Amino acid sequence: MSHETVGSLLAVIANSLNDGLRILMFADKRAWGSDEFEQLRLLEETLDEAKKDFQELPALVNGRFYYENDRISESLEDLRDLCTRFELHAQTFKDWVRQGGGPIDPGWAHETTTLRRDLHRAQCRAARRIHTAQQIDSATSSARCLGALQVYRMQQRPNVGVEEERLVCAQTGRFERFGEHDVAFVCDFCDGFLVWDDLRAVPTTRLQQHQPQPTQNTNGDANTNANANVPMSATNTPSTPPVQKNSTSGDEPGTTASTNWQARGITMTTGEAKTVVFAPVAIANHLPPELGDFRCRILCPQCDEYYYEEQGEDDMERVRYVQDARGFDSVKALQEHLEWSHASIVPSTSSCGVM
């Protein structure tokens, strides 16, 4: 329908959630068990997260007016489908209370969790489509995914805590197993995959971490929602020095978090230590997948400002950037580029041998 917008469809979904919540809140709880209270908690958290997304995502696309009144067909189609699913979910609780409000089916909690996840992703994708449309005529357009931009901008600040990086990455997407041996990060904004080959767990700290500044006190846990299916390695191997969980980016003063890109992981196949690209560095520089592909390409954070000049009449015609605008086709390719082209920024560790 022509009158439908992102805002109006989200309002329908919120009404369905409120219907389900009211039924459970006013139901007779004397015979309730853990399943019933868990279902109530999940509905409350789903509504709270939807409200949080609705308040925060418009800021990424120049304000709530653009977000609420967006009518991009793909976004409306996603939200229409969710409207139907949430209405059916609410109807489940209406039927339950009409039948006397007996024990709740534990499977309903799984359905609520799935709907919560899908709603979050739909809102992120809607914001990404608005952002992409706004960038068409913008002189400062960025090739990065909107989700990547949030991590990238945060990393440009001095003294960024590793917990801050993990938290913003958790708000951007999630980690999951990819095949038997690999780990993938799936972006909620562009649905693209970043794949780390042959990795047992995602390292949560860099290979070298410095102590935090005395005034810094960063708290947060980015693993709760983003990494439910993938173990996160919070400790280093014996060949690396111990680290602090709440620590800064590990860079020297005046540099950004993207400069220190190495982390130490464990291979899935042999259990040996290996150097990998620290996940927030790759996430902050990924591009949306090309048409027909599911893997994200990745820009080198060190090559962003590298350029040279050629002959020409206009200033913009003379500037040629070193980096290919399409970036690298995998995390492994990015790592090889960093090791060969930016050897001077690779941290040295006395306990690591050179192969």
Side-chain angles (χ1 to χ4, degrees):
M1 302 177 188
S2 60
H3 67 275
E4 289 180 334
T5 64
V6 165
S8 68
L9 292 174
L10 287 174
V12 173
I13 292 172
N15 288 335
S16 295
L17 277 170
N18 278 318
D19 288 345
L21 269 174
R22 278 194 295 268
I23 290 170
L24 291 180
M25 289 176 67
F26 292 106
D28 185 356
K29 299 180 178 61
R30 289 175 295 179
W32 275 24
S34 59
D35 289 338
E36 287 74 23
F37 284 106
E38 175 67 7
Q39 180 64 69
L40 177 60
R41 183 187 66 82
L42 287 174
L43 285 174
E44 290 174 338
E45 290 182 352
T46 300
L47 184 59
D48 289 343
E49 183 178 71
K51 289 179 178 179
K52 181 174 179 289
D53 288 339
F54 185 71
Q55 292 168 354
E56 295 180 355
L57 289 174
L60 308 180
V61 292
N62 299 325
R64 180 167 295 179
F65 175 83
Y66 295 98
Y67 186 74
E68 288 189 29
N69 295 285
D70 178 51
R71 295 183 179 181
I72 296 176
S73 59
E74 293 89 346
S75 299
L76 298 184
E77 184 176 351
D78 284 350
L79 292 173
R80 284 192 201 104
D81 177 66
L82 281 170
C83 282
T84 302
R85 292 169 61 192
F86 272 98
E87 286 172 356
L88 292 173
H89 196 47
Q91 187 63 45
T92 299
F93 300 110
K94 294 176 183 178
D95 295 340
W96 168 77
V97 78
R98 289 193 189 105
Q99 295 168 7
I104 275 184
D105 185 347
W108 297 349
H110 175 72
E111 184 179 356
T112 304
T113 302
T114 301
L115 286 170
R116 171 183 175 177
R117 182 69 193 170
D118 290 347
L119 177 58
H120 171 72
R121 295 179 65 191
Q123 291 205 68
C124 289
R125 288 196 296 264
R128 185 256 301 170
R129 295 184 185 109
I130 298 170
H131 174 76
T132 301
Q134 291 175 342
Q135 296 302 300
I136 293 177
D137 298 324
S138 174
T140 59
S141 61
S142 171
R144 285 178 176 83
C145 166
L146 179 59
L149 274 176
Q150 311 320 305
V151 188
Y152 177 79
R153 289 167 179 165
M154 183 271 299
Q155 287 183 343
Q156 302 312 299
R157 304 199 305 263
N159 296 325
V160 174
V162 68
E163 290 291 348
E164 293 180 81
E165 293 181 276
R166 291 165 58 189
L167 179 60
V168 73
C169 287
Q171 295 169 347
T172 301
R174 69 193 186 281
F175 291 97
E176 61 182 38
R177 276 286 163 205
F178 188 77
E180 296 182 0
H181 303 137
D182 306 336
V183 173
F185 177 83
V186 186
C187 178
D188 289 334
F189 288 83
C190 67
D191 293 328
F193 281 63
L194 293 167
V195 180
W196 282 260
D197 300 330
D198 193 13
L199 192 61
R200 178 183 297 174
V202 180
T204 59
T205 57
R206 289 173 169 81
L207 187 59
Q208 288 188 328
Q209 295 281 164
H210 291 292
Q211 294 289 338
Q213 299 294 333
T215 57
Q216 184 173 344
N217 183 20
T218 305
N219 295 312
D221 187 357
N223 297 333
T224 302
N225 297 325
N227 311 313
N229 299 323
V230 180
M232 301 293 288
S233 174
T235 58
N236 282 351
T237 62
S239 63
T240 59
V243 300
Q244 296 293 327
K245 189 171 183 181
N246 289 339
S247 53
T248 59
S249 64
D251 304 323
E252 296 299 325
T255 62
T256 60
S258 60
T259 304
N260 188 355
W261 59 267
Q262 288 187 319
R264 178 59 53 86
I266 303 295
T267 60
M268 190 71 172
T269 53
T270 64
E272 297 178 351
K274 63 181 291 189
T275 299
V276 298
V277 176
F278 187 48
V281 174
I283 294 168
N285 294 282
H286 78 269
L287 311 177
E290 296 182 346
L291 187 63
D293 198 1
F294 69 95
R295 293 204 187 202
C296 300
R297 300 183 72 90
I298 315 169
L299 295 173
C300 171
Q302 307 305 322
C303 292
D304 262 357
E305 304 300 327
Y306 291 176
Y307 66 91
Y308 59 92
E309 294 187 7
E310 293 181 343
Q311 292 183 352
E313 296 180 358
D314 185 78
D315 289 342
M316 294 304 296
E317 291 180 358
R318 292 199 300 268
V319 174
R320 293 291 183 270
Y321 284 90
V322 173
Q323 178 158 237
D324 185 346
R326 295 177 65 245
F328 299 91
D329 61 3
S330 66
V331 176
K332 181 179 179 181
L334 172 65
Q335 179 173 342
E336 292 173 350
H337 166 78
L338 288 167
E339 291 172 340
W340 284 99
S341 300
H342 303 286
S344 61
I345 65 170
V346 176
S348 61
T349 54
S350 58
S351 60
C352 295
V354 177
M355 299 300 292

